[in-house]
Amino acid sequence: MNLSTHSHQAAFDLQPGTALGLSHAAGRELVVFSGRVWLTMGGNQEDFFLAAGDRMRIGADAVIQCDSPGAARLQLAAGGPSPLRLAGQLIAVLARRLPRLPALLPAPLDRKAADEGHTA
């Protein structure tokens, strides 16, 4: 069974022992409201077990399977920007503001005091 791309924001139930392919979900976030799921992703050697309250960004060729005695309640949410991208945006904002911070600018050179210091 594959999840339709039209239901990415709606919560859905996954019955015990049922597997679901998430072929069009790469970059989205899987949110677990109840139950427990087993998540595998293509190109990733590690499997993940997610329980209620957990969330994870989905990679390519992901498959989830309900691993709890009752149904798992899930949602595929739009994935936000990656932490690395957020850090880059923050650095860019700070870099633009630095020239405007007077405390970080060097003090103007006092030529008279500098000249007196060299002749004494």
Side-chain angles (χ1 to χ4, degrees):
M1 170 161 56
N2 279 330
L3 187 64
S4 142
T5 56
H6 300 292
S7 59
H8 283 312
Q9 292 296 330
F12 60 97
D13 292 327
L14 188 61
Q15 298 304 316
T18 305
L20 179 63
L22 304 174
S23 59
H24 299 322
R28 296 191 179 272
E29 198 171 52
L30 178 67
V31 181
V32 182
F33 295 114
S34 64
R36 179 176 143 120
V37 294
W38 174 17
L39 170 67
T40 61
M41 293 182 271
N44 194 333
Q45 299 295 323
E46 189 176 355
D47 289 345
F48 302 93
F49 289 91
L50 306 174
D54 291 339
R55 53 181 42 216
M56 178 172 255
R57 187 180 304 271
I58 300 295
D61 300 322
V63 175
I64 54 173
Q65 181 172 344
C66 184
D67 189 51
S68 57
R73 184 87 172 143
L74 310 165
Q75 180 183 26
L76 275 175
S82 72
L84 197 56
R85 186 175 193 165
L86 287 174
Q89 290 171 346
L90 178 61
I91 289 169
V93 167
L94 290 174
R96 286 193 302 267
R97 291 178 185 242
L98 280 177
R100 297 181 192 151
L101 299 174
L104 298 178
L105 296 176
L109 184 61
D110 184 353
R111 293 270 181 212
K112 184 175 178 183
D115 289 340
E116 290 174 359
H118 289 296
T119 58

